[in-house]
Every structure is written in C-alpha cells, then in structure tokens.
Amino acid sequence: MTSNEIRQQFLDFFASKEHTIVESSPVVPLDDPTLMFTNAGMNQFKDVFLATGSRPYRRAADTQKCIRAGGKHNDLDDVGRDTYHHTFFEMLGNWSFGDYFKKEAIAWAWELLTDVWGIDSTRLHATYFEGDESEGLEPDTEARDLWLEILPQQRVHPGNKKDNFWEMGETGPCGPCSEIHIDLTPDKSGANLINADDARVIELWNLVFIQFNRGGDGVLKPLPAKHVDTGMGFERLCAVLNGRTSNYDTDVWSPIFNAIEKRTGTQLGCRPADSPPANDRNTEDTSVDMIEVSYRVVADHIRCLTFAMTDGALPSNEGRGYVLRRILRRGVRYGRQYLNMREPFLCDLVEPLIAHMAGAFPELRTAHGGKNAEHVAELLRDEEESFGRTLDRGIKLFDDAAQYAVTHHHGKIGGEDAFKLHDTYGFPIDLTELMAEERGLTINIGEYERLMEQARERARAGGEGASDESAELIQTAAARATQATDDSLKYGPELQNRSRITSLARQSDPGSTDPAVQGEPVAFTVAATCFYAEAGGQISDTGIAATETGEIEVTGVSVRSVTPQRGGEPFNVVVHHGKVVHGEVRSGTDCSLKVSPARLATMKNHTATHMLNWALREVLGDHIQQKGSLVDAEKTRFDFAHNKPLSDEEIARVEQLVNERIEADQSVNSKEVDQKTALEINTLRAVFGEKYPDRVRVMSIGADIDQMLADPKNPEWMKYPVEFCGGTHLSHTGEAERFALTTEEAVAKGIRRVVGITGVAARQSEATGAALLSQAHSLPTGPELADALAAFQVKVNEAEIPIRIRSILRQKIGELQKAAKKQQKEAASDAGEAVMSKVASLLGSAETIGGATVIVAEVPMAPVDTLRNAIDWIRNKTDSSAVLLAMASEGKVVLVAGMSKGVVGKGVRAGDLIKEIAPIVGGKGGGRPDMAQGGGDDPAAISEALTRAQAWLAKKLG
C-alpha cells in the first residue's frame, strides 16, 4: 500500500465511526506560549480537555503535523542513528471529548489494525499503566481487563509512569495510556524487548485516556470529563504494513532520497574516500554506513525545517528558532562530511519535498502568497551560506581537539574547545557531542557549561544598561524594603500620587541610613507609586519625587523581588533611582510623586505599536511574529520575522491601516483575566518565550474583551488587535493623532525592523513632505532618477503626495553619490601616497639575500591595487626582488606577495609564500608565481606572519 492510501484508510475508518475529520493545526503553536512545537495531535484540543473551550463535535480524527525536537519530547538525538525516530512526523489520531472512553478506543484500534489492515494479531502486545505511589495513582485495571478480553495474559504488560502515563509538557492535560506494540522478531520472541528502544519491537499506537490536568504547581487534579486521545506514528505504520524494518524504506521517504541523490551525486553505499569512520549507537559494528545515516538525517531535517518555516518559525538564536538552527546546522554538517557538499544544498531539496507532500498538506504550496517554496528555500540558503563560511574551520578545530584528546586526555575533548566551537563557529553543543561520539570520544561538559555560564553573566551584565554603582544602589534599596509596592496607580489617569518612602540607598555610602544630599545619586522605594517600571519593551517613566526637605529627579524605575530574611513569601518592590536635585531626602518621610509629561508620548507610541503589529500581519501575512520592541517618548521600534524588505506600497498600506484606526478613535480596552481563558481568543497574540503569569492583562483595540471571551472563536475578532500587554496605553486611538513610519531595515537574517512616530512628530513629517511637493511644482520631473526619501530624512506619505516629488529626491541622491565617489577617490589617493612613501623608505634600507632585494613589511591600509602597484614599482627599481606587503583594518588582514622573474626562476613562488603564512592570520590564499594574494581575520597575528615570511624567503633564497 502507498502512504497516501494508508493515510486515507485511517481517516475513512474513523469517519465511519462518526468522527469529524479535522485539519492538522500548525506545527508552530503561536497561540500557546507553553509549547515550543506542536508535539501531539491533542494540542489543538487542549482547551476542550480543560473544559475552557468546546467544538461542535464530540468525536474527531486527523493526521497531525508534529515536531519533537526540543522540550519534554525530543527525538533529535536519535534521528539517523536508528530507523524509526524523526524530528518531524505525522501523527494519526482519533479523539473523544467526553463521549466514548477506554472500551471503544481499544476495540476500534484492534479492529483497524487486524481486520482492516490485516496485521498478524499474534505479533501484537498491549501495555497498561501499573500505577505510581508517589503520585497517588492506582493501576489502570480497566484497560488491563479490556485487553485481556482480546489478548492472552503473556502479551498484556504493565508499564511505569515513564512509558504509560502520557503528558504533553510540564503542565496541561494528561493521563494513563495503553500502548500497542508489534513484535517483528522472526520467532515472535520479543516480549522482553517492549519499551527497550529496540527496532525489532516498536510501539505502534498509543491510546491515551485523558483524566487529569497537571497545574503549574505540579499537582494532578481530575478533569471535569474523561477523554480519549490516541496517536499512531504514520511513518512506522507505513513500514509495518509494507513489511519493512526501516521507516525510511517506504514511499514516505523515497522521493526525498531520490532528490538527495540527484543533488549530491552521492549514492547510498558509496562512502567518499576521505569520510572518517563512525559508529552507530545501536550497534557495535564500526563499519556502519555513514552515507545511509546522512541520507536519513538530511531527509528528516529538510522535512522538519520546511514544515516549521511554512507555519511561521524561523532559524534564530533563541527559543524554537535556535532549535531549527541546530537542526539545519546538523544537516549541513552531515552533508559536508559525508555527502561531499561544499555549497548550500538543503535549500534545493525544498521544492522536491513540497511536490511530494503538498497533496496531504496544501499549505506547503499555498503559504506566503503561494510562494512558500521560494520563501523557505531563500531562508535556508542564507543560513547555509552563513554557517558554511565557518564550518570547515570549525571541523579543523574539532579534528585538532579530538587528536589532542586522544593523545593527552584519555579521549575527552576539552570544554574550552567545545565552547570555542559554539561561540566562534556556531556549533551547537549537541552537534559537537555527536561528532565526538562518532569517534568514540567524550566532552568535558562541566568545563563547557562553566564557560557558557560566564558568557551568560557577561551578557546579562552588559544588558542591564546601568553602572555597577547604580545596580548596587537599586539592590540595596530593594533589600531594605519591608513591604511590596502597590503599583496599580501606573494605569490610572492621574500621573501623580502621595506616598511614603519605605527605603533609601545613597551613592556616597549605600550601607548608610543618613539622608541623601543635593547632587547625590539615590535609589528608593515607596508604599505606592504611579511610575511605570521598564518592562515588555516600554521604557520606565521619569519624573519628580518631592518631600518637605528635598526633591529627587527620577531617571529610571525597575522591579526587584525581595525575599524576607526571616522567612515568608517573596514580594516585589518598585525601585526608583535618580539624583537629589534640591535639599536632602531621608527614608520614612512622605513624598509626592509626579510622572513626566513624556509618559503621554510613550503611551501614544505604545498603543500605535499594537496597531502596527496588527497592520503588519494584515499586509504581509500571518507569519509575522514579534521579535522585539522598544517604546519610548520619541518612537516605537518594532522587530518582526520577515525575510525581505517592505516595498513602498506595503509601507504605505501599513501606515494607512494604522491611521484609519486613529481616525476612527476606537476605544482601547484592557482587562485582567485567567491566562488559559484568554488564550481561547482566536486572534490573541502571545510572544513565544515570554513567561506569562496565571492572571494576565489582555489589551484590545476596538473590541470589547468580555464579548471576545464570551465567543472566543468568532472570526470577527480577526479585525482587531488583541495582545497580552502590561504596558500603559491611551484610552482612545484618536489621542495618537497621526502615525508614520520613518525607518525600515534588516537587523538579522529573516528579521526586519521598523520605526514609527506618532502625534506632532508624525504630522510634522507629513507637513515637510507637503512643503517639498509645493516646491516641486515648478521643477521638471523624470522617471530616470532614483528614489531617495531617506536622503532628506523626512517622511512622505505616498498616498497623498504625487510621484513628481521623487524627481527632486532622485536628483539629490545623484548629487550625494557623486560626492561620495569623489571622497572615495580622494581617500584612495591619500592612501596610495602613504603606501608609496612607506615602500620608498623600505627600499632604501632593504636587505639583499641571494642577490634579491627582500622587503617584508606592514603598510598603511589602502586598496589592494595600491599594494600591487607598489610591488610593480619595486620591481622596476630593482634587478631582482621578493616582496611581501601586509595591511590590516577592521578585523581583516590583506597579504600581497610579488616575485621578480629571476626570483621565480629560482623556484621561489609568490603563491607558495601566501599559502605558507595566510593560515597564521586565520585565512588562506594563493595565486600566480609572480603575484599572489591572501588574507585572514586575525590582525594580531600579522607580526608572526611577517616573521615567518622573512624566514621562508631567507631559506628559499639563501
């Protein structure tokens, strides 16, 4: 049977059992911040199991896209090493929502496997949950007894909590499960291999009986109703039904394998001569075919990457993006070492994969405006090129470290080497561990973790943005506080309040309780405050705190957690810091707090940020994900996932959508609700990786939150911005006055940044554009001039300003380009003069070796052609010469060598000299015998390279 037939037979069977056939949910669960990837079919029904949501049906079935490559369920390390684990796979599943339970689930599973598909029933075994005293869980005797009506006792097995109690993640719906295993041993003797991670006896179907919910405190609580959640690995099923012992030996994989062979030219069973030996974890045979392992890895990884990126994920340095980057680099490494791929190749496998699987999952073709294949391939190519630039050098470092480990450290690679591979060459630690394991080596993981923690500490310290003294002041003031700060006033309309200073620390003596005097930096806490502490991308408030005896200018506000010294629950305090600008201030006194008027401008920009986020999705697509933001009184800066620049038309449309909301003067609503309840709203956006409390603040623009909660799946809500947000906002959008984008740029691979302004600043930018238009009426226009809005650093709304404004700006750009070229020529001329002056002085004192004038020196930075001209000048001035010139700038080294005809005749070649010294500066190079060039990225090693060059020439010429 083909895989398509098997998939359809499963769906048809459960349709005949009155199940609604539903579509797979995205593999990237953007609406569930507790999950990194969709790892089971039940994820999309989590709200039903928790009784916080419902569906118009009580039975369902589907084939669900799943990824298990991070978090609680992680199969990445097993991919390629065995024949039945995958990072991406399909999960065939059927569900009951408070309808049927264990009896029907077990009976129908048996019917489908044995009657419909004809699997030999004497090869099937079943397991049930044996109970767990530590959790207070009884054995699942109900499932056991139901299986004993079908199977003999010797093929019904108890299983522990690890194997027979299924949990989606650290929290959420869960319950005991009953697994169906198939014994593929020739004599059906594999009963003792159940759950032993042996390919001869594998789990085929897992029937989960959802009865509990594990809360954030780890406690299990019974659910209001009992449910069925089953999952069967599609790839394993296809292998079994076709009599294969490997998942990879079916038509699920053969089209991808064919594409790999066509792209790489490496056939299965044909190991390249330079491939190192490797061990398969599941066998002691040292001759395992690494070509086959590589095929499995590459095929699996391109499926995982393509499906994840189709559904909105992107490779990055954090969260799910980092997992994808690890997977991608793992695939690139296998391709480089075992499939002879020296250039990007994963990107070329995207189209064959989509052609193979788009029938079952049409979004692979239709996503991103019908250009999903190009979208994914482009992103992969960029990632492959980036990693490829350092891969060879990283492999060389690993080889050296591995050899040193064998000869000096009993096969243990140093943690410092592993850290350098990660920090400098982008090798995730699991990739380094895998490479070590292939050689029978280990890594000093403790040393690696120590160095990683030091790097994290440096990063944290660098990210605080405050001096050590300020940090100490803030911590001291927090530690002296005896009560939590009431900061509920930060949302109120009044930006001032009366309170009492509860603790204070002063710069001159943080440990002192004396009053702080004029000019002295301080940090203090109060019982209640209207100041907003920096959080969620919004900067903190500034303002004034005044007492009867003095006044403090508040320049920053932050939140700190305090643990009482004598026990008790930790509490949060809001710490204000700044400087005493008048008189003196002491702890325990009453004070008046007043927030700076800049807060209003910040609120305008923050509300605009939410409208901007919504508008970007409307214009560019649902793949838009927030990757960072900064909101202050001047601007909103917003980073988001998108792989290409926005066009002028797209920018104009985004501005138009935001301004339409501003002109409509829509209400800005907020409400604190239960997180799980809030997540039911179909349009609500939660930033992945953010840790949200059980109670969250929901902010919507233009829609009533209570109405949303009453009907959370209503498609009408897609028209409104709805997000988790703890920041401060306007009461109506009209208060923002106007919105304009001023900047659009790339900040990383696949990440764009826009900057917007509101209020008077936005109106002024448009007024400037209108004034330019007025001036343009008397000037000629021309389509031949380039767009140059950025040259004037003004915002022109193209929807309102005719195209002729472009002619003025194009003309301006042309003038600027001419001026830039002139400056470049002048700079090059100055650099050339400096080099020639240096070379002339070197020639006057040059050493003669073997009848040749030898010059080896570092010269000022200049265009490479200048160095070549300098070498020709030396040749013309001498009968015989050997020259090596080096220069360095901005972390780069350039080496140029030249030999006269007579020197080359003696066997002294410029290309050989460059090959000899370029590795010293961290690079490579070569060229003709008479002229050659190289370089590197280690300027600190220039002196060593020059010394080596001098010695090399002396030996060759002497």
Side-chain angles (χ1 to χ4, degrees):
M1 284 186 289
T2 67
S3 57
N4 288 332
E5 290 172 339
I6 293 169
R7 185 189 293 112
Q8 193 59 50
Q9 286 175 359
F10 174 86
L11 298 175
D12 290 345
F13 176 83
F14 281 102
S16 72
K17 304 296 184 184
E18 300 179 343
H19 287 63
T20 297
I21 307 304
V22 299
E23 292 184 358
S24 170
S25 63
V27 80
V28 180
L30 297 176
D31 58 349
D32 188 346
T34 69
L35 282 178
M36 181 172 287
F37 294 105
T38 298
N39 59 23
M42 62 83 66
N43 291 169
Q44 66 170 303
F45 303 116
K46 183 177 174 182
D47 60 326
V48 181
F49 296 139
L50 292 172
T52 60
S54 63
R55 300 292 186 275
Y57 45 80
R58 301 191 69 184
R59 299 179 182 183
D62 79 349
T63 178
Q64 171 65 51
K65 303 176 293 186
C66 296
I67 290 179
R68 292 186 178 176
K72 182 178 178 64
H73 299 282
N74 184 5
D75 291 337
L76 177 59
D77 292 342
D78 296 314
V79 172
R81 300 171 173 185
D82 62 29
T83 61
Y84 53 92
H85 279 101
H86 313 290
T87 57
F88 171 88
F89 61 95
E90 289 184 59
M91 180 74 82
L92 302 174
N94 59 284
W95 293 273
S96 164
F97 308 124
D99 188 8
Y100 64 83
F101 202 45
K102 297 178 184 178
K103 181 179 180 180
E104 293 85 353
I106 289 173
W108 288 339
W110 186 258
E111 178 185 349
L112 179 57
L113 291 174
T114 60
D115 293 350
V116 177
W117 284 327
I119 294 177
D120 183 356
S121 63
T122 63
R123 290 190 175 277
L124 297 178
H125 295 248
T127 64
Y128 66 93
F129 180 49
E130 67 183 8
D132 188 281
E133 290 186 7
S134 66
E135 295 268 19
L137 296 170
E138 297 292 329
D140 188 359
T141 55
E142 181 183 359
R144 179 199 64 191
D145 294 344
L146 287 168
W147 279 118
L148 288 175
E149 294 177 9
I150 300 173
L151 292 168
Q153 186 171 355
Q154 62 268 26
R155 286 196 277 132
V156 180
H157 313 270
N160 59 24
K161 180 182 172 184
K162 174 181 177 293
D163 295 319
N164 282 88
F165 192 89
W166 196 89
E167 301 192 59
M168 178 181 65
E170 299 300 329
T171 62
C174 53
C177 62
S178 181
E179 298 174 339
I180 303 173
H181 296 253
I182 186 165
D183 181 356
L184 300 175
T185 60
D187 58 356
K188 305 178 185 179
S189 61
N192 63 328
L193 298 178
I194 289 175
N195 286 325
D197 202 21
D198 192 298
R200 293 170 294 177
V201 180
I202 60 174
E203 173 195 337
L204 196 58
W205 204 343
N206 189 8
L207 315 179
V208 182
F209 310 120
I210 300 291
Q211 299 173 233
F212 304 99
N213 179 56
R214 190 179 294 280
D217 57 1
V219 176
L220 290 173
K221 295 181 180 179
L223 289 170
K226 296 179 179 180
H227 314 279
V228 170
D229 160 34
T230 84
M232 178 161 47
F234 175 67
E235 292 78 7
R236 293 186 185 182
L237 176 66
C238 290
V240 168
L241 293 182
N242 285 283
R244 305 293 185 180
T245 57
S246 168
N247 287 6
Y248 295 95
D249 291 339
T250 69
D251 73 333
V252 174
W253 300 93
S254 54
I256 310 174
F257 273 33
N258 292 338
I260 295 172
E261 180 176 340
K262 182 178 180 180
R263 177 64 183 86
T264 67
T266 302
Q267 298 178 353
L268 284 173
C270 302
R271 183 187 291 112
D274 61 347
S275 292
N279 288 307
D280 189 318
R281 185 184 68 169
N282 298 324
T283 177
E284 295 181 358
D285 180 10
T286 59
S287 63
V288 65
D289 188 353
M290 288 304 296
I291 297 299
E292 183 170 353
V293 171
S294 299
Y295 262 69
R296 296 174 195 163
V297 169
V298 171
D300 171 272
H301 289 6
I302 193 60
R303 292 209 319 167
C304 181
L305 291 165
T306 301
F307 273 90
M309 294 166 74
T310 295
D311 284 347
L314 289 172
S316 67
N317 286 329
E318 59 184 16
R320 66 165 67 97
Y322 180 64
V323 173
L324 293 184
R325 183 162 283 169
R326 286 168 54 203
I327 290 171
L328 186 146
R329 293 183 172 184
R330 195 172 187 262
V332 171
R333 200 279 300 193
Y334 271 100
R336 179 68 60 93
Q337 285 198 280
Y338 301 112
L339 303 179
N340 286 332
M341 296 310 299
R342 301 289 168 180
E343 65 279 332
F345 73 101
L346 292 175
C347 54
D348 297 324
L349 302 177
V350 173
E351 176 54 40
L353 169 68
I354 290 178
H356 173 45
M357 301 197 71
F361 302 100
E363 63 271 21
L364 289 173
R365 183 70 69 193
T366 60
H368 298 100
K371 296 183 177 182
N372 187 56
E374 297 92 329
H375 168 77
V376 175
E378 180 182 351
L379 292 173
L380 288 180
R381 184 180 298 279
D382 287 346
E383 285 285 326
E384 289 185 83
E385 289 176 345
S386 176
F387 185 45
R389 286 191 285 269
T390 61
L391 181 57
D392 285 334
R393 293 177 63 189
I395 291 175
K396 176 62 167 61
L397 172 62
F398 176 84
D399 289 340
D400 294 343
Q403 183 60 43
Y404 189 81
V406 171
T407 57
H408 294 82
H409 288 294
H410 308 290
K412 179 173 284 191
I413 294 174
E416 185 174 353
D417 291 317
F419 175 75
K420 186 174 182 180
L421 280 166
H422 167 83
D423 194 50
T424 305
Y425 300 106
F427 280 50
I429 185 60
D430 55 341
L431 176 57
T432 306
E433 288 180 308
L434 176 64
M435 295 169 67
E437 185 177 344
E438 289 174 356
R439 297 198 183 190
L441 306 174
T442 60
I443 293 174
N444 186 339
I445 199 68
E447 183 183 21
Y448 167 82
E449 289 294 348
R450 178 180 61 80
L451 293 169
M452 279 297 296
E453 184 56 33
Q454 289 178 359
R456 294 186 193 106
E457 288 292 341
R458 288 194 296 271
R460 284 193 289 266
E464 284 294 328
S467 66
D468 292 341
E469 293 81 2
S470 295
E472 182 180 0
L473 273 178
I474 292 169
Q475 194 57 43
T476 301
R480 290 178 177 172
T482 59
Q483 65 185 75
T485 305
D486 175 7
D487 65 347
S488 60
L489 298 174
K490 66 188 178 186
Y491 296 125
E494 295 295 330
L495 298 183
Q496 56 186 354
N497 71 288
R498 294 280 298 174
S499 189
R500 188 177 185 82
I501 297 177
T502 54
S503 70
L504 183 141
R506 45 196 287 265
Q507 179 72 71
S508 60
D509 186 1
S512 171
T513 57
D514 292 339
V517 298
Q518 185 171 334
E520 189 171 20
V522 295
F524 65 97
T525 65
V526 291
T529 183
C530 57
F531 278 70
Y532 180 85
E534 182 171 356
Q538 178 177 331
I539 66 164
S540 67
D541 285 333
T542 60
I544 295 292
T547 69
E548 290 185 354
T549 59
E551 189 175 280
I552 301 171
E553 180 185 7
V554 178
T555 56
V557 188
S558 57
V559 176
R560 292 291 187 272
S561 178
V562 177
T563 301
Q565 294 182 354
R566 297 184 180 180
E569 292 295 321
F571 56 85
N572 288 338
V573 293
V574 178
V575 184
H576 310 65
H577 58 90
K579 181 183 291 186
V580 178
V581 293
H582 173 71
E584 64 177 31
V585 179
R586 67 171 65 241
S587 180
T589 57
D590 292 338
C591 68
S592 297
L593 297 166
K594 187 174 183 179
V595 175
S596 164
R599 159 77 88 84
L600 177 58
T602 302
M603 291 162 63
K604 290 180 179 181
N605 289 330
H606 201 159
T607 300
T609 303
H610 287 245
M611 294 187 284
L612 170 63
N613 190 0
W614 170 83
L616 286 168
R617 293 197 305 277
E618 287 290 301
V619 174
L620 304 178
D622 285 338
H623 67 282
I624 297 301
Q625 299 175 47
Q626 180 177 340
K627 294 297 182 180
S629 66
L630 174 65
V631 180
D632 58 27
E634 296 179 354
K635 65 186 178 301
T636 171
R637 190 184 75 197
F638 191 79
D639 298 347
F640 59 98
H642 192 57
N643 68 325
K644 60 182 178 181
L646 275 66
S647 66
D648 290 344
E649 292 75 15
E650 288 170 335
I651 291 174
R653 179 58 178 158
V654 168
E655 289 179 322
Q656 180 185 0
L657 289 174
V658 175
N659 282 315
E660 285 176 355
R661 287 196 175 277
I662 292 174
E663 291 164 5
D665 197 24
Q666 296 177 323
S667 62
V668 180
N669 310 302
S670 63
K671 184 172 185 177
E672 188 175 286
V673 298
D674 178 74
Q675 180 196 143
K676 294 175 182 176
T677 302
L679 286 171
E680 294 179 35
I681 302 174
N682 58 3
T683 188
L684 187 141
R685 305 292 288 190
V687 180
F688 180 78
E690 289 286 341
K691 298 297 184 181
Y692 296 106
D694 291 338
R695 299 285 295 176
V696 292
R697 191 165 181 262
V698 177
M699 200 279 286
S700 78
I701 296 177
D704 183 86
I705 295 174
D706 287 330
Q707 291 181 5
M708 286 184 163
L709 295 173
D711 186 14
K713 303 305 179 185
N714 191 330
E716 181 73 12
W717 308 140
M718 301 301 293
K719 300 178 182 178
Y720 304 99
V722 188
E723 298 182 50
F724 288 158
C725 185
T728 61
H729 288 277
L730 305 171
S731 62
H732 286 80
T733 58
E735 298 171 48
E737 299 180 56
R738 196 68 181 169
F739 176 79
L741 289 173
T742 61
T743 302
E744 193 278 337
E745 62 184 351
V747 292
K749 292 290 185 182
I751 306 296
R752 308 297 300 180
R753 170 175 292 172
V754 290
V755 176
I757 53 178
T758 58
V760 174
R763 291 191 181 282
Q764 286 178 341
S765 71
E766 292 182 346
T768 302
L772 286 172
L773 173 62
S774 177
Q775 297 174 22
H777 283 309
S778 60
L779 297 176
T781 62
E784 74 283 355
L785 300 173
D787 189 359
L789 295 176
F792 279 145
Q793 292 186 341
V794 298
K795 179 62 207 166
V796 179
N797 189 329
E798 289 187 51
E800 300 175 5
I801 301 178
I803 195 67
R804 68 170 60 195
I805 190 68
R806 294 174 179 267
S807 64
I808 306 172
L809 300 170
R810 290 171 192 265
Q811 186 176 21
K812 181 65 176 178
I813 266 293
E815 294 172 359
L816 293 173
Q817 288 175 338
K818 289 180 181 179
K821 288 181 180 179
K822 181 179 179 181
Q823 290 177 350
Q824 290 173 354
K825 288 182 179 180
E826 292 174 350
S829 176
D830 292 343
E833 291 181 5
V835 169
M836 293 307 298
S837 176
K838 175 74 172 180
V839 168
S841 65
L842 290 171
L843 183 60
S845 59
E847 182 181 6
T848 299
I849 304 176
T853 299
V854 177
I855 296 177
V856 177
E858 182 177 0
V859 297
M861 192 65 189
V864 175
D865 286 345
T866 301
L867 270 64
R868 293 177 178 272
N869 293 337
I871 291 174
D872 287 339
W873 182 82
I874 294 172
R875 285 174 178 167
N876 293 331
K877 293 289 185 180
T878 60
D879 295 328
S880 179
S881 61
V883 183
L884 185 283
L885 300 179
M887 59 184 181
S889 177
E890 298 181 352
K892 299 294 182 183
V893 177
V894 176
L895 304 169
V896 180
M899 308 295 169
S900 64
K901 185 175 180 181
V903 170
V904 173
K906 294 180 181 180
V908 183
R909 298 177 175 85
D912 292 344
L913 175 56
I914 293 295
K915 290 177 182 178
E916 175 74 16
I917 66 171
I920 297 174
V921 294
K924 56 185 179 180
R928 304 190 311 271
D930 64 325
M931 185 75 78
Q933 181 179 331
D937 55 10
D938 187 3
I942 282 185
S943 179
E944 180 184 351
L946 296 179
T947 301
R948 178 77 64 84
Q950 186 75 34
W952 188 87
L953 288 170
K955 181 178 180 181
K956 293 287 186 179
L957 293 170

